[in-house]
Amino acid sequence: MIPSRRAFLLGAAALSAAVATPETVRALAALEATADWALATADLERDVAPRALRRVHGRVPDGLEGTLFRNGPGKFRRPGGSATHWFDGDGLMRAFRIREGEASVEARFADTAKRRHETALDAVVTPGFGTAGDARAQVGGPDDANAANTAVLPLGDAVWALWEGGSPVAMDASDLATRGGVTLRDDLKGMPFQAHPRIDPDGTIWNIGLAGDRMIVWRLNADGTLRSADVVRLPRASYMHDFTASARHLVVVLQPWVFDRDTMPFMTRFAWKPELGTQVMVIDKADVTRTRIFELPAFSYFHLGDAWEDGSGGIRFDVAAASDVRFALEGARVLVEQRGTVPGDPATLSLVTLHADGRAEFVSSGVTAEFPKANPRLAGSTRRLTSHVAGETGGRPLPTGLAVQDWETGRSDVFDFGDRQILEEAVWVPKPGLHGEADAWLVAPSINLDEGVTELHAFEAGRVADGPVVSWRADVALPAGFHGAWAT
């Protein structure tokens, strides 16, 4: 077990009280200031070879077989210059594999042009979402800055590492080796393919890419080949990390964080203007030129849940909504600095209803939440359950638990590990042969701060409060990732 900082500081004080110098005082003060959650953004210096996970709790449910691929930043700091924002670390793909009751983990950095250039310099020099970069950067196009660090799209024997501003990066599903950037059509090379594609029950993949007040709507076949790419004009140029979809519509939420000036890093291009309110654009999947606009009060967001069409002709979706953009501007910097407190309040889970008559409603559950997810078998269809991470508090920006919200009853089913665990996004794994909405497991990794290692947990989606049905432990700590996907 790794000794706590408190124990270390007490021991150091006992040994050196009589000979304290200004240098040791400053060093101890810096150590004490480092947050206890610093493992979440610690640098991983090299790939992690496949290794077995040790089961530490419960038993493996019959039928739980497959791979949880997860992506997120894995390295931020280099001697010649470092990333200053959580969103700008080098992309690290993780694979948690469960087979015949055993589990393993491996991790590999995406071999991007950005990472190769910065490895040669031993400095982070490329401008990003919140990192300014410097004159040593080599950026001739979007993919030269592509960190491939945000999300995952499994496609057969490949897994795509997704970013926001450029192409997917294909990696081998079996060993995570990088195959290279994906060009969906020669004349669309380097066009943005965002981090949150939506997948229809028939396997059709929808995604968007942003260029100011224009948006490309991607439609792919289930094998990842391009079916169509259309340009849609937006009512305003708004920062957007996610969109959602119902059975018949795409839903684009335009928060009042709008383009203001052409500058870098990327986040400085936008100004928070709550007086504009939030707009929702609904696009007909069958004809993307057919659109509707709804008006809502101002809120900010990163993540939306799946949308569905209700019996009255309306559209509903859930959102992890915040009151401002301080986390993006300041909180994500605190995470990389590994000290300090995050300003503002955590996001709360809210339900939006877009009525057929043009009215729009926004109702908060009051439940602290991020990463809303739903059973993929019901993608675009009527549902009542949303999973999300929970336990985040003001000043401590990382979740400690998992919850499932029932929109019909208003009940929240919650399990909290306590503040010595950092829980990451959970994905739904439907149970073989069963078709109820709650007939699924929720699978998520965590960082155990006391043991200094990564763990993997599986919960019953319908009984989250009972805690994990099985937990495994690694012998290594991986930094906190962003998003994942399950593949069988």
Side-chain angles (χ1 to χ4, degrees):
M1 180 180 296
I2 296 175
S4 70
R5 284 188 175 81
R6 182 177 299 275
F8 175 82
L9 290 168
L10 289 173
L15 290 171
S16 61
V19 292
T21 66
E23 290 76 14
T24 58
V25 169
R26 285 196 296 270
L28 290 174
L31 183 59
E32 189 161 40
T34 302
D36 65 352
W37 38 259
L39 273 177
T41 57
D43 287 322
L44 194 68
E45 298 300 333
R46 59 189 61 83
D47 297 340
V48 175
R51 61 195 58 208
L53 299 177
R54 179 170 60 90
R55 184 161 54 89
V56 293
H57 167 76
R59 60 175 297 274
V60 185
D62 293 338
L64 181 57
E65 299 250 341
T67 302
L68 171 61
F69 292 103
R70 281 189 57 76
N71 195 3
K75 184 169 176 59
F76 305 90
R77 304 162 192 89
R78 295 181 184 273
S82 299
T84 59
H85 197 283
W86 194 23
F87 300 172
D88 294 331
D90 289 344
L92 178 74
M93 187 68 72
R94 298 92 158 152
F96 296 89
R97 306 185 194 272
I98 302 174
R99 293 284 185 273
E100 299 180 350
E102 303 293 332
S104 66
V105 65
E106 60 196 275
R108 199 161 181 177
F109 284 99
D111 183 20
T112 63
K114 173 186 182 297
R115 180 169 167 82
R116 289 193 299 272
H117 179 57
E118 293 179 340
T119 298
L121 294 176
D122 210 7
V124 176
V125 299
T126 308
F129 184 89
T131 300
D134 64 33
R136 293 172 290 174
Q138 293 183 346
V139 181
D143 286 334
D144 292 328
N146 190 342
N149 69 358
T150 308
V152 178
L153 180 61
L155 289 169
D157 64 355
V159 56
W160 289 3
L162 305 181
W163 189 52
E164 287 194 340
S167 306
V169 174
M171 304 177 76
D172 195 291
S174 65
D175 64 2
L176 306 184
T178 299
R179 296 180 178 178
V182 176
T183 299
L184 292 168
R185 201 171 73 198
D186 288 345
D187 61 323
L188 299 175
K189 183 178 177 61
M191 287 291 289
F193 187 90
Q194 287 204 209
H196 289 285
R198 299 285 170 172
I199 303 175
D200 287 344
D202 68 358
T204 298
I205 301 165
W206 295 88
N207 203 0
I208 62 172
L210 298 176
D213 64 354
R214 291 177 297 166
M215 178 177 73
I216 185 169
V217 175
W218 301 98
R219 182 166 56 166
L220 279 58
N221 299 308
D223 64 358
T225 55
L226 181 65
R227 191 184 307 179
S228 64
D230 299 287
V231 175
V232 173
R233 180 76 65 172
L234 300 172
R236 65 190 185 204
S238 171
Y239 174 73
M240 227 185 301
H241 174 71
D242 197 1
F243 76 107
T244 189
S246 66
R248 297 188 295 113
H249 296 95
L250 306 178
V251 180
V252 175
V253 180
L254 301 159
Q255 62 185 325
W257 196 21
V258 295
F259 182 80
D260 188 61
R261 56 192 179 277
D262 191 6
T263 185
M264 286 300 284
F266 186 74
M267 69 181 188
T268 63
R269 297 184 173 195
F270 299 89
W272 177 244
K273 298 183 178 182
E275 67 274 12
L276 298 178
T278 293
Q279 294 181 312
V280 182
M281 186 175 189
V282 175
I283 303 169
D284 192 326
K285 284 181 174 179
D287 180 358
V288 297
T289 66
R290 297 176 58 186
T291 65
R292 289 179 290 162
I293 302 292
F294 295 81
E295 302 287 342
L296 285 168
F299 64 86
S300 72
Y301 77 99
F302 280 107
H303 301 113
L304 307 170
D306 287 339
W308 72 94
E309 284 143 12
D310 61 27
S312 67
I315 297 173
R316 299 188 179 193
F317 62 92
D318 34 29
V319 54
S323 59
D324 55 42
V325 294
R326 281 183 288 176
F327 178 78
L329 293 176
E330 303 169 41
R333 289 185 178 277
V334 170
L335 285 175
V336 174
E337 290 170 1
Q338 298 186 321
R339 66 189 67 196
T341 58
V342 171
D345 297 319
T348 58
L349 190 66
S350 302
L351 184 67
V352 174
T353 303
L354 309 175
H355 294 283
D357 63 6
R359 292 179 299 116
E361 289 182 71
F362 175 91
V363 178
S364 174
S365 69
V367 175
T368 298
E370 250 302 352
F371 303 134
K373 305 281 281 187
N375 190 326
R377 282 183 174 158
L378 298 177
S381 302
T382 301
R383 62 178 175 85
R384 60 186 179 88
L385 302 179
T386 299
S387 68
H388 59 87
V389 294
E392 185 180 340
T393 59
R396 190 183 191 280
L398 297 162
T400 58
L402 179 66
V404 172
Q405 175 78 12
D406 188 324
W407 290 111
E408 287 186 2
T409 67
R411 179 174 176 264
S412 182
D413 187 27
V414 186
F415 178 83
D416 199 301
F417 283 100
D419 63 8
R420 304 308 300 160
Q421 290 262 16
I422 297 168
L423 191 70
E424 303 183 45
E425 175 199 65
V427 302
W428 289 69
V429 181
K431 295 180 179 180
L434 299 175
H435 301 284
E437 185 174 359
D439 290 328
W441 298 286
L442 292 169
V443 180
S446 71
I447 303 173
N448 184 320
L449 298 177
D450 286 330
E451 298 294 333
V453 296
T454 289
E455 296 182 342
L456 182 67
H457 312 279
F459 297 78
E460 287 279 355
R463 298 196 304 275
V464 166
D466 293 346
V469 295
V470 63
S471 297
W472 293 272
R473 183 173 295 164
D475 60 357
V476 64
L478 300 177
F482 290 148
H483 299 294
W486 185 263
T488 55

